[in-house]
């Protein structure tokens, strides 16, 4: 495709992109299954030896794969926690006193960020669900 043709090409719609994604998944199930299998094997290895990274710069393959082990959640200390229902039942002067004494600090409640996700579900005609 020439540079002029590339500039004039109509951008794909969201529906076009979603259709292409499902078609790739439908047309290459063995590739996606093998990729999942390899990732499982690599994570198992990382669980044994720790994090690692393999870099490729030869044989027409340039890139890297970075693998980290799974990690259980861990308790790293303790901290005070206000019981919201009890706080809500306090009279305002008591709340003000706790704040002015430096025992309580009101901070914004912030919902965690989402980095987005793409999920697909490919229904195979004739498959039993």
């Amino acid at each position: 495709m020439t540079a002029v043709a590339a500039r004039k090409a109509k951008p794909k719609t969201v529906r076009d992109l979603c259709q292409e994604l499902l078609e790739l998944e439908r047309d290459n199930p063995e590739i996606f299954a093998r990729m999942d299998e390899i990732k499982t094997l690599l994570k198992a290895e990382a669980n044994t030896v720790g994090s690692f990274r393999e870099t490729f710069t030869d044989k027409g393959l340039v890139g890297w794969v970075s693998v980290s082990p799974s990690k259980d959640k861990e308790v790293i200390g303790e901290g005070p926690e206000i019981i919201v229902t009890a706080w809500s039942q306090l009279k305002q002067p008591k709340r003000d006193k706790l704040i002015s004494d430096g025992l309580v600090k009101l901070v914004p409640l912030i919902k965690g960020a989402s980095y987005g996700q793409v999920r697909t579900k490919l229904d195979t005609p004739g498959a039993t669900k």
Side-chain angles (χ1 to χ4, degrees):
M1 179 183 299
T2 67
V4 173
R7 266 188 255 120
K8 291 183 180 180
K10 182 179 175 187
K12 290 190 174 190
T13 66
V14 169
R15 184 166 181 83
D16 292 338
L17 292 171
C18 290
Q19 179 177 341
E20 183 179 352
L21 185 63
L22 284 175
E23 288 170 349
L24 287 168
E25 189 173 338
R26 178 199 62 205
D27 296 344
N28 302 286
E30 58 284 335
I31 291 172
F32 284 94
R34 181 61 181 146
M35 288 173 66
D36 289 342
E37 182 182 339
I38 290 169
K39 288 176 183 178
T40 298
L41 292 168
L42 290 170
K43 285 189 266 185
E45 182 66 15
N47 285 338
T48 302
V49 302
S51 297
F52 59 90
R53 178 180 171 131
E54 293 289 338
T55 302
F56 300 89
T57 58
D58 56 349
K59 299 179 187 173
L61 183 63
V62 177
W64 54 264
V65 176
S66 177
V67 185
S68 300
S70 58
K71 235 179 9 177
D72 290 333
K73 64 182 178 180
E74 63 179 308
V75 175
I76 58 171
E78 292 182 348
E81 182 175 304
I82 295 283
I83 309 301
V84 176
T85 53
W87 173 261
S88 299
Q89 293 172 357
L90 291 176
K91 302 231 183 280
Q92 191 60 45
K94 179 67 175 172
R95 291 184 196 174
D96 293 341
K97 174 83 168 113
L98 291 169
I99 291 169
S100 68
D101 288 348
L103 294 173
V104 173
K105 176 182 175 183
L106 296 182
V107 296
L109 298 176
I110 300 171
K111 186 175 182 181
S114 169
Y115 299 100
Q117 62 180 330
V118 176
R119 295 179 290 179
T120 62
K121 177 166 186 328
L122 185 61
D123 288 322
T124 307
T128 306
K129 293 184 180 182

